[in-house]
Amino acid sequence: MAEEQQKKTGEEEKEKNAVPQNSIARMYLNEEDRKEEKKEHKKSLVDMTAKEKRLLEKEKLQGMGFKKKMEYFFMYYKWVPILIIGVIIAVVGGYRWYEHAKIETVLSVSAVNTKAQDFIEEQEKIRKILGAESKYEQVSVIGNFSTDQTGKDLEYYSQMSFMTQMQAGTLDVVIMPESMYKTESRKGILENMGTVLGEDAYKNFAGYENGDCVIITDKEFIENYGLVYDEAYVCVLKNSLNQENAAKWISSLQ
């Protein structure tokens, strides 16, 4: 009786530990085993020293081909190149911002109704006149303003740009035709040239009788600035931040 009972118990234990033949049941058990193995692996990694972890990584990589190594690297360390690229972009952007912040415009000149494409040579000439030797000292000469059909005022978009730059104080000198000069002079936005140049120096220029401009008829000047008129009225805006530099340049035009 005891032997029969013992046999029965042994069969039950064997049945309990047996791997089910059912595929779903086997898959479930395999999944459970994998979870347990993962837990054990995670626990063992936590217990490892940094040196042991490096050795483990080295062993993993030794058995891989080049392609597998690259796949492994980008799978587990993809944040590293992203972080490096992000740092490089931040450093370059910060440096450019810092360099740009140090740039100072020592004189800004605008030529109205010009056919010139660029003023690189003229900018360099003005820099030499002003003694602006630092790479952070900038002279700006632009030709993006045009008058309307009457020639007495700026066309709409030029007017908007002109007003914006004037109010911001980023425009110092304007070279314009006589018809536009008469309009701007009535607005009261032009500085007295006797104040800018000094009365004695101002008397040497044509246009002295007007009080707020000098008239340049030199053909080389007209050609260099691409002007489409023979008399250039050179004026300084009242809110110019660089009137002293404007005076140095205009004095050189005699």
Side-chain angles (χ1 to χ4, degrees), residues 123-152:
Q123 288 174 170
E124 287 305 310
K125 287 179 183 177
I126 295 174
R127 275 171 55 86
K128 289 179 181 179
I129 291 168
L130 300 182
E133 298 178 354
S134 170
K135 66 177 183 178
Y136 299 111
E137 293 179 308
Q138 173 182 282
V139 169
S140 171
V141 180
I142 58 175
N144 57 346
F145 295 148
S146 302
T147 56
D148 57 20
Q149 292 180 347
T150 66
K152 297 179 180 180

Side-chain angles (χ1 to χ4, degrees), residues 22-194:
N22 185 307
S23 62
I24 295 176
R26 286 203 310 274
M27 183 176 69
Y28 174 76
L29 286 179
N30 289 339
E31 183 64 26
E32 289 296 313
D33 291 341
R34 283 196 294 271
K35 286 181 180 178
E36 289 299 322
E37 287 176 5
K38 193 173 181 181
K39 287 180 182 177
E40 290 299 322
H41 179 65
K42 188 175 182 181
K43 188 187 293 183
S44 64
L45 286 176
V46 171
D47 295 335
M48 282 183 178
T49 63
K51 183 177 180 180
E52 289 172 335
K53 289 178 181 178
R54 287 196 298 270
L55 288 172
L56 180 62
E57 291 295 312
K58 188 176 180 181
E59 288 176 5
K60 286 181 182 178
L61 292 170
Q62 282 177 345
M64 298 181 184
F66 177 76
K67 185 177 180 181
K68 287 290 183 182
K69 285 180 181 179
M70 294 303 294
E71 289 177 354
Y72 179 83
F73 178 80
F74 283 109
M75 180 179 293
Y76 291 98
Y77 301 101
K78 58 186 176 183
W79 57 270
V80 175
I82 293 173
L83 180 61
I84 292 172
I85 292 170
V87 171
I88 291 172
I89 291 173
V91 171
V92 172
Y95 177 76
R96 286 180 176 175
W97 176 87
Y98 174 72
E99 286 292 293
H100 183 73
K102 290 177 10 180
I103 293 175
E104 176 190 6
T105 299
V106 294
L107 188 66
S108 176
V109 180
S110 176
V112 178
N113 290 350
T114 174
K115 55 187 178 181
Q117 298 298 313
D118 65 65
F119 298 93
I120 296 175
E121 289 186 13
E122 301 313 310
Q123 288 174 170
E124 287 305 310
K125 287 179 183 177
I126 295 174
R127 275 171 55 86
K128 289 179 181 179
I129 291 168
L130 300 182
E133 298 178 354
S134 170
K135 66 177 183 178
Y136 299 111
E137 293 179 308
Q138 173 182 282
V139 169
S140 171
V141 180
I142 58 175
N144 57 346
F145 295 148
S146 302
T147 56
D148 57 20
Q149 292 180 347
T150 66
K152 297 179 180 180
D153 208 344
L154 294 173
E155 55 87 21
Y156 179 76
Y157 292 107
S158 293
Q159 185 71 30
M160 293 300 101
S161 179
F162 177 79
M163 293 298 295
T164 300
Q165 292 183 52
M166 185 180 69
Q167 290 172 1
T170 57
L171 188 58
D172 302 306
V173 181
V174 184
I175 304 169
M176 63 186 84
E178 180 184 10
S179 55
M180 177 180 165
Y181 159 73
K182 291 179 178 179
T183 300
E184 301 305 316
S185 182
R186 286 195 294 269
K187 293 179 182 178
I189 63 173
L190 307 180
E191 184 61 273
N192 181 279
M193 294 300 286

